[in-house]
Amino acid sequence: MTARKLSISVPPEVEETIKAAAAEEGKPVSAWLAEAAVEKAQIAALHAQGRAAARELVAEYESEYGKLPEESRRRARQFLMEAGLLDDEPWSAVG
C-alpha cells in the first residue's frame, strides 16, 4: 500500500499524549495516527448512516401520518444528542 505524507499541527500536550499512546502500543506515531483516523472516519460514517436512516423513517412516517409533532422531534433530537449520535446540525425530514 502506498502511503501519503501529511503534516498536522497539535498542541504540545496532545503531542505527548499521542506519542505515549503509540509507544504503549509499540507502534510508530504515524501508524498510530493513521489507525486513529480510520477508526474516527468509520465511526463518523456509521453515525451518518444512522442519521440518514432516522431521516428516512421520519419522512416515511410523515408521508403516511402527517408532520411529526414538534415536541416529539425535540425529544428525539435531545435523545440523539445525549447518545452522541447527533451534534448541533439541523435535523429535519428528508423530502
Side-chain angles (χ1 to χ4, degrees):
M1 170 164 86
T2 304
R4 303 280 307 255
K5 191 178 262 193
L6 296 176
S7 175
I8 65 167
S9 299
V10 296
E13 61 276 8
V14 174
E15 176 186 11
E16 292 309 312
T17 301
I18 291 168
K19 286 180 177 179
E24 178 70 25
E25 293 183 25
K27 297 178 181 175
V29 169
S30 60
W32 188 90
L33 283 170
E35 286 178 14
V38 167
E39 288 174 15
K40 178 78 174 179
Q42 289 171 338
I43 290 168
L46 286 173
H47 285 186
Q49 289 172 357
R51 289 189 302 271
R55 286 187 183 101
E56 186 177 320
L57 287 172
V58 169
E60 211 174 282
Y61 174 92
E62 289 184 340
S63 72
E64 190 167 335
Y65 301 105
K67 186 155 175 64
L68 192 65
E70 193 55 43
E71 177 60 17
S72 295
R73 265 181 200 278
R74 188 195 62 71
R75 287 185 11 234
R77 179 176 171 72
Q78 185 64 35
F79 171 81
L80 292 172
M81 288 176 66
E82 289 173 5
L85 299 174
L86 188 66
D87 53 21
D88 287 333
E89 79 176 44
W91 192 60
S92 60
V94 176

